[in-house]
Amino acid sequence: MTLLRMENVQASYGQTQALFGVDLQVGEGEVLALMGRNGMGKSSTVKVMCRLLKHASGQVQFAGMDLGGMPPHVAARAGLGLVPEGRRCFPNLTVYENLIAAARAGVWSFAAVTELFPRLAERRDQMASSLSGGEQQMLAIGRALMTNPRLLILDEATEGLAPVVRQEIWAALARLKAETGLALIVVDKSLAELSRVSDRAVILERGKSVWTGTMDVLNAEVADRYLGV
């Protein structure tokens, strides 16, 4: 069953058009890689999904609902969970307070999140501002999970992190895929890591979907054409 569908979506920041025709879909329990060079519209696409940016034309549907005109908090309650680029933890709240700030009842509780990321249990009473970058990223993922979403969207969740922490994040995403029915959209630059956890990919170029397919057919020629420097 298709969970999220975007068809010919166009969107602008004021007079500057950012998206010129984005088409993608993700099904229940599926992991979709959203890829493209810098500045090609990935984050803008994520913002449209989460209603942080209104689309001017096209269709955006989630779980059979039309998201057009829906405010962000209503989209979140419908089951869209976002791990934003740059983490954006609440610096003056503790780890525990960050996690429960937008929590909703469901399988993802403080205990479940800290089982996935044990370091958060160790840092429970520390201010988020005192955490390392990797710990803040774990906190951002945990906070999104505690909204108990049907679709978790991760925008550059491993960017700027040390290699060992990156591997912890990728291992957690692999667990989410293997052990839960949660659908994921993952924005990242690491083709090797995305290939291990993703079922399909959509590649954007200049604000438009230019390639869609399963990860096993995303070959070197496609990667060089659309993802190379």
Side-chain angles (χ1 to χ4, degrees):
M1 174 184 170
T2 300
L3 185 59
L4 175 75
R5 183 192 306 275
M6 301 179 73
E7 295 182 354
N8 194 29
V9 170
Q10 301 185 40
S12 301
Y13 296 94
Q15 299 300 312
T16 303
Q17 189 166 350
L19 302 182
F20 294 84
V22 173
D23 298 287
L24 64 79
Q25 63 182 44
V26 60
E28 295 272 9
E30 185 179 26
V31 180
L32 178 73
L34 182 59
M35 308 176 72
R37 298 182 183 95
N38 289 340
M40 292 300 171
K42 303 185 299 297
S43 290
S44 294
T45 298
V46 167
K47 288 178 181 178
V48 169
M49 293 175 188
C50 298
R51 311 316 301 152
L52 299 171
L53 174 64
K54 295 180 180 179
H55 59 290
S57 62
Q59 296 291 320
V60 184
Q61 295 182 329
F62 178 72
M65 297 178 290
D66 184 357
L67 296 185
M70 186 178 290
H73 69 279
V74 177
R77 288 175 186 165
L80 284 159
L82 174 64
V83 182
E85 186 176 12
R87 299 181 282 273
R88 301 184 190 177
C89 300
F90 302 115
N92 297 322
L93 297 182
T94 66
V95 166
Y96 180 74
E97 289 167 341
N98 266 272
L99 289 174
I100 66 170
R104 300 176 67 203
V107 297
W108 286 102
S109 61
F110 179 78
V113 165
T114 53
E115 195 278 328
L116 184 66
F117 295 121
R119 210 178 306 184
L120 296 181
E122 300 169 7
R123 306 286 192 268
R124 173 186 170 124
D125 296 321
Q126 286 186 221
M127 294 294 180
S129 58
S130 71
L131 303 181
S132 68
E135 290 166 345
Q136 288 186 20
Q137 188 63 71
M138 295 174 192
L139 180 57
I141 296 172
R143 180 181 60 190
L145 285 172
M146 284 191 63
T147 68
N148 278 282
R150 295 178 65 182
L151 172 62
L152 183 66
I153 304 165
L154 301 105
D155 192 1
E156 302 285 6
T158 68
E159 185 176 26
L161 301 180
V164 64
V165 180
R166 287 173 55 88
Q167 290 309 308
E168 286 187 63
I169 300 296
W170 285 115
L173 297 186
R175 281 192 61 186
L176 290 177
K177 178 181 180 179
E179 300 175 9
T180 75
L182 186 62
L184 304 174
I185 294 178
V186 185
V187 180
D188 204 274
K189 298 180 179 66
S190 176
L191 179 57
E193 299 295 349
L194 285 169
S195 296
R196 295 188 181 101
V197 301
S198 304
D199 300 301
R200 292 187 304 109
V202 172
I203 299 177
L204 303 183
E205 186 170 58
R206 297 180 181 177
K208 189 172 183 178
S209 299
V210 293
W211 190 91
T212 301
T214 57
M215 297 304 293
D216 60 338
V217 297
L218 205 171
N219 56 32
E221 180 181 352
V222 173
D224 184 64
R225 179 177 181 182
Y226 296 118
L227 305 174
V229 177

